[in-house]
Structures are given as C-alpha cells and as structure tokens.
Amino acid sequence: MATPSNLDERSTPNDLLEKVTSLCKRRGFIFQSAEIYGGFRSTYDYGPLGVQMLRNVKEQWWKAIVQRRDDVVGLDAAILSPPAIWAASGHLETFTDPLVDCRKCNERWREDKINGVCPNCKSTEFTEPRAFNLMFKTQAGPVEGDGATAYLRPETAQGMFTNFANVLTTMRKKPPFGIAQIGKSFRNEITPGNFVFRTREFEQMELEFFVPPEDAEQWYRYWIEERFNWYLRLGLPEEKLRKNEAAPEDLAHYSKGTTDIEFAFPWGFDELEGVANRGDYDLTAHASASGEKLEYFDQATSTRYTPYVIEPAAGATRAMMAFLLASYTEDEVGGETRSLLRLHPKLAPIQVAILPLSKKPEIEAPAREVLAMLQEHFLCDYDVTQSIGKRYRRQDEVGTPWCVTVDFDTLEDHCVTLRDRDTTMQIRIAISELRSYLLTAMENA
Ligand code: ATP
C-alpha cells in the first residue's frame, strides 16, 4: 500500500474542498436544500449518512461536556424568542456586520471579508458600509405589530443566561458549574459560503461555565485546553489546529479574553470554536433588564456575587466539515487508487458493515444473526450487492472502520473475516468473540 495522502502535496486545496463536497452529495452525507426546485442558496439538508455523522459529533461533545462531568447540566431552550432577550444581550443594537454594495455590479458583501475588491467583478468601488443586523425577525401569532415580534435565536447562549436562576435552584448547583446546550441557530449572513462552513441555519454546541470571578482566568485557560484536546482526540491532526488569542485591543468591551480554536481549512486557518471569558456581562445585563436577581449566594461566606462566565462556543456543522476534510485520504490498494475517510470510529456514520459473500440463504442467515448482534452496540450497514472488492471500496469511501464478511467457511468454523479500513488487513475471528473485540477496539480508538 502506498503512503496515504491528504492531498496536500498532489493537489490544490480547492481540489480537497471539491472532492469532499462531491463525496458528501454522491454518498448521502449532505444535499443542497430544495434541490428539485433549483436549490436554496447556501442551505443544506443532511442525508442518511450526514445526519448520523452529525449526531455522532454532537454525541461526543455531549459526552465530554455533560455526561462525563458532574459540574455541567444540559438544557434545550426555545428557538423563538422575544425582543426583550436580544435588547438586553445587545444583539438588537450590535449583532451586525458591515454591509457594502459594489457600485459596479450591485452585489452585496461583508466589508471585513473581501479585502477591498469585489469578488464578483473585481471593482474597488463600494458604498459606505452600513450596519446590517444578522438576526432573522418574524412574527409570533396571527396579529401583526410590535407585541408580536419574535426572533430566531442567532446563538444558543442566551437560553443559558435566562435560565441561570432556574437551573441554580432546581439542580442545587454552585459555581463552578456549567449549562450546556446543542441546537439550531440562525444568522442572516451577508455572504454565506464555503459549503457548510458558513450557512444561515446551523447547529451550535455551547457551554456557559459559571465561576467565582477570582477563578475566571484559570477556568478560561482550562477550557481552551479541554476543547483543543477534544478535537485532537477525535482525529484532527495537531498541525492543522491552532489557538489564536485575540489581542487585548481587539476584545469586545466586556470580554476579558477570547481564544479561537482554528482549523486549517482549504482556504487557510479559520475559526472552529471561540472560547471567551465574558466576565459578568451577560448575567448583569439580563438582571438589570428583567429585574430578576441573577446572582449566587455563598452560604459559607455569606456573600452574594454575580459569577463570571467562560464560554466555549462551537459549531456542530462546522466541526463535522473539519472532520470530513481532515479525514479525506487517497491511497493505493492493489495498484488502484482508493479514496477513504479516515474518520474516528466514534464519528463514522457506519461503524461496522456486514457483507455476506453470497446471497444464498445459508450465508445470509448467519450474516443477519451477526447484524442483529452488532446493531445493539454499533451503527451497522448490511450490503449484499456487487463484488466484495467494490463493497469494500464503498465502505472505505464513507469511512466505515470495520467490514465483516460471512462466507461458506463460516458455516464450518463459525468465524468471520474482519477487515480494517486503514490498513486493509484482514483477520479471521470467531463470531462469539466479535462483539467484545469490536467494543474494545472502539473504546481504544
Ligand atoms: P464568524 O466570525 O465566523 O462569523 P463568530 O465569531 O460570529 O463567527 P460565534 O458567534 O463565536 O461565531 O459562534 C460560535 C461558533 O458557531 C463558531 O465558532 C462557528 O463554529 C459556529 N458558527 C457561527 N456562525 C456560523 C455560521 N454562519 N455557519 C456555521 N457555523 C457557524
């Protein structure tokens, strides 16, 4: 087998983006939305393999942030929200991007993303930038008017702030503790693009971690490391990740520190996740706007204080794109080029494929038994079509780490052949040992 390549040497970065985008469509990961009506710009639907992979990404985040900790609890807040929340948070006034019109072709652009040249017609003449609010505004109920205005949330974070007191009292938590949420957010991005990197509808995975103010800096550093290591553990190569800490003069007025975790996308390093020390800005703003006390009373010291918050804010759909890009590989097997996704087994949309070598009932029967046994623990596929070589290629291409073939020898020796995606090595293993072998392999991955 030739040395695998992530295309860095042989191809241009755009090739990688194109290859992954086309694989996503061809193999049922991600489709253009409303395609039969000509498509809806920069909006995507997650197909059978995509929805599973996205769920796996979110599951790994939830496990790391909520399930394996005793200081973080979960939340699922509403997407529709009243203007009061966004007035208090500052979004109504300042959640804007600078919008400019090209004077020649009239295309609209986000001024800070185009380096002064129109990407469409190369003109350098633009209108003065105006502040364009990114929130989607809608109306709740049948009667129009100010009282009916609602917004689709542009981030999940505010749900954690507005429920701070509810969680504190119902869960008997004390700082340091966190509230975590995964869900859809909506931003009317001026220039969406780069596949699912920037879309108007996307999924976020956010944690608000409330701490005593004097410990905030230490927790800020802690969460940068935790989050960086999460991406590493799930297979993003260290040389394609970096931490980019904002200079003090570039920070928002309330921010005490922001570090972006960035990935080497085909167009250069760009944000995967932002980790911020937001001080007591959010709780103070909501307390003053709502009149509710959003504080913690420490009985041990009889003191009352507003906790500081450390916020690791990640994009689930953007992370999935990074995992796809980083895992796409081409190598040579038996003199033929194969493309594969070297996905971490916990992210792969199919973890084990069961491939009977014949459609004869005496082979399909034990194959289906193996399927039923493994389905309880793994995401499985069952495929009887085409030659075994073609079936292996199809599984490699979607990142399936293990293939199990059932053949005529199985009827005699009660063993199956287990093939590894990355090495293509095959071993013969007893059906009775298969489940525990794979569970161990998954745990050690
Ligand atoms: P950018 O500067 O790229 O517009 P941001 O700094 O405004 O992003 P945050 O508000 O910090 O982004 O959002 C947290 C995370 O949510 C981002 O790191 C990203 O992973 C994800 N995200 C934000 N906007 C989008 C979008 N339009 N499409 C997909 N993911 C997004």
Side-chain angles (χ1 to χ4, degrees):
M1 208 168 57
T3 320
S5 146
N6 191 234
L7 305 186
D8 287 351
E9 281 141 43
R10 288 197 242 160
S11 316
T12 62
N14 276 344
D15 278 353
L16 176 61
L17 187 57
E18 258 174 55
K19 285 183 177 189
V20 169
T21 309
S22 119
L23 186 150
C24 280
K25 172 158 193 215
R26 193 160 28 87
R27 301 305 314 277
F29 282 82
I30 301 176
F31 306 124
Q32 173 75 61
S33 203
E35 200 178 6
I36 61 167
Y37 292 104
F40 190 45
R41 196 175 155 225
S42 296
T43 308
Y44 294 92
D45 296 341
Y46 288 72
L49 297 192
V51 66
Q52 190 58 63
M53 181 172 170
L54 187 57
R55 284 176 70 120
N56 294 349
V57 170
K58 292 184 283 185
E59 160 109 357
Q60 286 308 310
W61 186 88
W62 193 265
K63 273 202 163 146
I65 300 292
V66 182
Q67 187 179 328
R68 291 199 196 103
R69 305 185 64 101
D70 63 1
D71 56 359
V72 177
V73 291
L75 181 77
D76 190 8
I79 289 173
L80 278 179
S81 40
I85 291 182
W86 308 106
S89 68
H91 282 75
L92 274 183
E93 206 171 322
T94 60
F95 196 59
T96 57
D97 278 336
L99 174 72
V100 289
D101 294 19
C102 171
R103 286 196 191 276
K104 198 165 149 213
C105 71
N106 295 325
E107 277 285 331
R108 291 190 157 165
W109 304 105
R110 195 171 138 182
E111 191 202 24
D112 57 328
K113 295 278 177 191
I114 54 166
N115 297 325
V117 183
C118 174
N120 185 39
C121 73
K122 309 289 173 242
S123 160
T124 53
E125 305 263 310
F126 296 98
T127 56
E128 282 300 305
R130 21 195 217 292
F132 175 76
N133 196 294
L134 299 184
M135 284 198 294
F136 280 99
K137 191 175 179 178
T138 187
Q139 174 200 317
V143 184
E144 287 184 36
D146 276 353
T149 300
Y151 289 92
L152 302 189
R153 65 180 179 200
E155 59 175 35
T156 61
Q158 299 306 321
M160 275 82 96
F161 300 130
T162 54
N163 282 292
F164 172 79
N166 284 338
V167 172
L168 202 62
T169 48
T170 56
M171 302 308 290
R172 308 176 59 80
K173 287 288 172 199
K174 60 179 283 209
F177 82 99
I179 311 178
Q181 177 168 207
I182 299 177
K184 286 234 168 162
S185 292
F186 302 81
R187 296 182 188 179
N188 197 4
E189 298 279 1
I190 297 170
T191 34
N194 283 330
F195 197 33
V196 295
F197 179 82
R198 188 180 302 285
T199 49
R200 296 197 170 112
E201 174 179 347
F202 54 98
E203 267 192 281
Q204 290 190 305
M205 311 182 287
E206 295 193 290
L207 166 67
E208 306 302 326
F209 198 75
F210 301 98
V211 300
E214 62 276 18
D215 299 340
E217 173 66 16
Q218 179 201 329
W219 280 109
Y220 168 59
R221 299 286 155 203
Y222 167 89
W223 279 110
I224 296 169
E225 290 313 307
E226 278 292 301
R227 296 302 305 140
F228 191 85
N229 290 334
W230 183 84
Y231 292 104
L232 275 184
R233 275 202 310 277
L234 289 172
L236 295 190
E238 189 150 17
E239 66 278 10
K240 293 203 168 181
L241 280 174
R242 74 176 188 198
K243 300 167 201 156
N244 187 2
E245 182 148 20
E249 61 271 23
D250 295 334
L251 291 174
H253 64 95
Y254 52 80
S255 178
K256 312 256 180 288
T258 301
T259 298
D260 286 348
I261 298 176
E262 298 181 336
F263 173 72
F265 284 94
W267 56 91
F269 272 97
D270 217 332
E271 177 179 336
L272 266 184
E273 165 161 358
V275 184
N277 174 356
R278 299 178 58 88
D280 62 5
Y281 173 78
D282 307 278
L283 288 181
T284 305
H286 282 299
S288 109
S290 67
E292 295 289 327
K293 275 208 170 70
L294 301 177
E295 298 168 334
Y296 176 71
F297 179 68
D298 189 345
Q299 279 172 338
T301 56
S302 282
T303 48
R304 194 177 282 286
Y305 68 91
T306 305
Y308 275 24
V309 67
I310 311 302
E311 176 189 78
T317 38
R318 199 177 277 187
M320 171 169 159
M321 181 172 169
F323 289 123
L324 285 167
L325 286 166
S327 65
Y328 184 87
T329 313
E330 288 177 0
D331 65 7
E332 238 173 64
V333 175
E336 275 182 40
T337 305
R338 76 164 174 162
S339 59
L340 70 157
L341 295 177
R342 289 171 171 268
L343 289 174
H344 190 287
K346 287 181 181 154
L347 298 182
I350 301 169
Q351 291 161 334
V352 189
I354 291 97
L355 312 173
L357 273 194
S358 151
K359 284 184 187 157
K360 293 217 162 79
E362 62 267 38
I363 299 296
E364 283 225 52
R368 289 219 166 260
E369 275 174 31
V370 170
L371 173 69
M373 171 180 86
L374 295 181
Q375 261 174 337
E376 201 49 38
H377 307 274
F378 305 97
L379 301 162
C380 294
D381 187 23
Y382 184 86
D383 186 5
V384 279
T385 58
Q386 297 188 314
S387 74
I388 189 66
K390 281 203 178 123
R391 279 183 270 168
Y392 281 152
R393 286 309 107 75
R394 284 175 60 78
Q395 296 297 338
D396 290 343
E397 203 184 18
V398 299
T400 309
W402 297 290
C403 288
V404 172
T405 49
V406 178
D407 54 29
F408 286 95
D409 289 343
T410 305
L411 304 179
E412 303 294 323
D413 64 5
H414 305 288
C415 289
V416 290
T417 301
L418 181 66
R419 174 186 179 271
D420 178 273
R421 172 195 68 200
D422 296 344
T423 61
T424 74
M425 299 279 280
Q426 303 187 4
I427 56 167
R428 196 82 185 151
I429 180 169
I431 292 176
S432 58
E433 285 167 25
L434 184 61
R435 177 173 46 194
S436 64
Y437 179 95
L438 288 171
L439 283 172
T440 308
M442 185 73 115
E443 274 319 303
N444 295 337

